[in-house]
Amino acid sequence: MLRFAPSPTGDMHIGNLRAAIFNYIIAKQTNQPFLIRIEDTDLARNIEGKDKEILSILNLFGLLWDKLVYQSHNFGYHQKIAEYLISKDYAFYCYCTKEFLDQKREEAKEQKKPFRYDESWATLHKDSNPKPVVRLKGAQETIQFLDEIKGEISFGPNEIDSFVILKEDGIPTYNFACAVDDMLYDISFIVRGEDHVSNTPRQILVRKYLDYTKDIGYAHLPIILGESGSKMSKRDNASSVNWLLEQGFLPQAIMNYLIAMGNKTPTEIFRLQDALEWFDIKNIAKSPVKFDIKKLRFINREHLKMLNESELALLLNTTDASVGGLAKLYLQEASTLNEIREKIDAIFAPKDIFALYEDQDFSESCQILYAGFQTLMQEHSLALREYESLKTELMARTGLKGKNFFKPLRILLTGTSHGLELHELYPFLQYFLQDIVRLKQ
């Protein structure tokens, strides 16, 4: 079984989504179930409703799961496992106070040594601290594992000291709950961020003490860098999947980009179904990769081009294929749904003819042309059916020509003084002239 294990403590980061995508692909390639495990052990930081938001995003991206579990539902099981480890002398109660441990950390820092827990401290504060934690005994030998991206990784005994598995309130820590649940749900392979590399030996140690012999495979994904070159943080808007969706990027384009990031792909533009045929986690680069919004914009435009007029219209909240046709045209200069919406909203909004366009006042010509338009529409003139006949008729009736004709015409039809050729746009605009040729009051 493959799993994706998000925490409901904030917006989904693109790095987390990338891990979810890769776990899903491998599950499908190997014909194994795909599990979503909501890791809600951090009760203080859990945000109500974030679990539903995460599931909604996964559903939107087509990452459909076979099983959904909440880690908190296994708290009783985690506690029983901890008691078993204590009975086997692989774990013990630690009564150290927070103040004492903070002092020891500070001493290690002053001596420029890494902090290491000393098991002789465990009972020093037994009389004054009624709420001990439970610690797992540190490693006695080197722990090694093969990372499909990074290669062989090893941690010596001195790097894995005794660590907390149950907090003073009986809640399991991340590493303990994760290790036990990966065992409980028979997880075979784990793709996650490289910030988890140091957690892996601790989780392996938990399962070793429990005599769990199944070998779990690992692939730790390099971090995603922001445009500044530093690690992408939550302060970077583009790190949030929600933000990207709100900007008008398509789920299939975001997915395309995240799969292609630091990867060898046979084609630049593809769908999730295509990636199932050729994806190989071993092809992911070891080094960090920089997030490139321009590249995502290009990929998004290509995916928008793949949609037909009716599909595009639905994404723009209408069933009119003519609006979808307009949207297809605007892909010459727009890359996201939001940019297309801006163009189309400007077309259907009442026109502000008294605004300056390119620092010029076209209001007088606009008024003359508007009157001409109204007359033609009232007459149901056949000239309205084609751009060339419209242009000829309006010129004849208004006496306007050159810049004083074409700029006002563009303003009345599109709300801007420059853009795509009117003869391209007009076949779609002609159906909505009553809604388009309106003046702002």
Side-chain angles (χ1 to χ4, degrees), residues 65-79:
W65 53 91
D66 300 294
K67 188 177 180 67
L68 169 65
V69 297
Y70 284 75
Q71 200 163 55
S72 58
H73 295 175
N74 290 335
F75 279 175
Y77 186 74
H78 299 142
Q79 289 160 353

Side-chain angles (χ1 to χ4, degrees), residues 94-97 125-133:
C94 170
Y95 296 85
C96 290
T97 63
H125 304 101
K126 190 171 183 178
D127 295 335
S128 58
N129 183 14
K131 291 185 176 181
V133 299

Side-chain angles (χ1 to χ4, degrees), residues 148 355 404:
E148 293 293 350
N404 284 328

Side-chain angles (χ1 to χ4, degrees), residues 283-299:
N283 288 335
I284 301 295
K286 295 180 182 180
S287 54
V289 61
K290 188 181 287 190
F291 186 87
D292 185 348
I293 195 81
K294 290 178 182 175
K295 183 69 173 178
L296 176 57
R297 285 172 60 82
F298 164 76
I299 291 173

Side-chain angles (χ1 to χ4, degrees), residues 2-4 19-27 34 189-191:
L2 278 288
R3 53 82 159 173
F4 174 57
I21 293 167
F22 291 170
N23 279 296
Y24 175 86
I25 290 175
I26 295 169
F34 180 51
F189 194 84
I190 298 169
V191 183

